[in-house]
Amino acid sequence: MRKQIAAANWKMNCTLNEAKELLQSLGNKKIKWNPDHQSVIAVPYPYLLIAKEYLEKDPHFFVSAQNVYTKHSGAYTGEVSAAMLQSCGVTHVIIGHSERRGYFQESNDMLAEKMDASLAHNLIPIFCCGEALDIREAGAQNDFVEKQIRESLFHLDENQIQKVIVAYEPIWAIGTGKTASSAQAQEMHAYIRFVIAEKFGKEISENISILYGGSVKPSNASEIFSQPDVDGGLVGGASLNADEFEKIINSLKS
Ligand code: PGA
């Protein structure tokens, strides 16, 4: 089975003490992991090292950054490189979240560079894609998401693409309480898998985990995750509560 992943995206939330409390609660959970299950916790930069400390006793937990810069090092005040993240023991990085695309004008081309920087330093990219409401209402969501994938992932080689996790996050469902129906999620996930298969072949495509993101919570996680092409979720709001997030981990398909 493909890896089933519950990924937490804390976004810009928690002070240090709050972060410690949340990490401690997560680290102390007695989760009955299925061997194919993982949980990736994407915390703000200042908390990456402590997140590793709190979570390292459970090998199913991984620590992720929420962003990375394209360059290796140098005069780029305020930025953080993939080499730095790797040196801190970070294993994953979120690339192209819609908030970064929207608020920080990250283009598909720039995200292609971020993919390269991450993979060059053995970070596993969680590549986010997804359409805004007007695009869905116009029925153009497949073309839109396909373009995001083509322009940021199609330059990778076969070896590199196999390391990538994709997260489909329809913008209209993020933080709105409005979830895509499980049928809408399945339809897009199957399409993403088809697009990847056309370029890299069916075998590779079948092995890539595709996560759904957008208002995932304990009450809807099982239904969404049960879809054949949905391999878990990227969870914002509900990941800030350890009990809720534990329930979401326990909703992964087995
Ligand atoms: P949400 O965020 O779960 O709060 O909708 C998901 C995300 O943006 O990754």
Side-chain angles (χ1 to χ4, degrees), residues 9 11 97 99 169 173-176 213-216 234-238:
N9 177 10
K11 309 192 181 184
H97 190 279
E99 287 149 17
E169 298 207 307
I174 295 178
T176 57
S215 300
V216 173
L234 178 55
V235 186

Side-chain angles (χ1 to χ4, degrees), residues 208-222:
I208 289 182
S209 298
I210 306 179
L211 317 184
Y212 168 80
S215 300
V216 173
K217 39 188 185 277
S219 58
N220 59 25
S222 307

Side-chain angles (χ1 to χ4, degrees), residues 149 154 161 190-206 208 210:
I149 290 175
F154 269 24
I161 190 76
Y191 187 68
I192 291 170
R193 210 178 289 291
F194 164 77
V195 168
I196 294 173
E198 289 276 283
K199 168 74 182 170
F200 297 100
K202 198 163 162 50
E203 199 183 325
I204 286 178
S205 172
E206 284 298 324
I208 289 182
I210 306 179

Side-chain angles (χ1 to χ4, degrees), residues 74-142:
Y76 302 100
T77 303
E79 292 297 332
V80 171
S81 73
M84 292 173 178
L85 295 175
Q86 183 187 33
S87 73
C88 291
V90 171
T91 51
H92 292 64
V93 58
I94 298 177
I95 306 268
H97 190 279
S98 59
E99 287 149 17
R100 297 225 49 96
R101 292 173 185 268
Y103 297 133
F104 304 99
Q105 285 81 45
E106 295 194 359
S107 65
N108 291 344
D109 288 346
M110 180 191 227
L111 298 174
E113 285 184 55
K114 291 191 173 197
M115 293 298 296
D116 294 341
S118 306
L119 290 164
H121 290 279
N122 281 329
L123 297 173
I124 299 171
I126 302 175
F127 175 77
C128 301
C129 53
E131 79 288 353
L133 187 59
D134 57 333
I135 294 170
R136 179 156 284 264
E137 283 174 348
Q141 66 272 18
N142 285 8

Side-chain angles (χ1 to χ4, degrees), residues 145-216:
V145 169
E146 179 170 344
K147 187 169 190 296
Q148 290 180 320
I149 290 175
R150 278 181 184 279
E151 294 185 359
S152 300
L153 301 187
F154 269 24
H155 68 290
L156 300 178
D157 65 28
E158 282 189 3
N159 191 31
Q160 290 174 314
I161 190 76
Q162 296 185 57
K163 304 199 169 112
V164 176
I165 298 168
V166 175
Y168 169 58
E169 298 207 307
I171 297 170
W172 46 272
I174 295 178
T176 57
K178 214 175 169 187
T179 326
S181 68
S182 50
Q184 283 171 320
Q186 168 55 26
E187 197 181 5
M188 180 58 87
H189 283 228
Y191 187 68
I192 291 170
R193 210 178 289 291
F194 164 77
V195 168
I196 294 173
E198 289 276 283
K199 168 74 182 170
F200 297 100
K202 198 163 162 50
E203 199 183 325
I204 286 178
S205 172
E206 284 298 324
N207 279 320
I208 289 182
S209 298
I210 306 179
L211 317 184
Y212 168 80
S215 300
V216 173

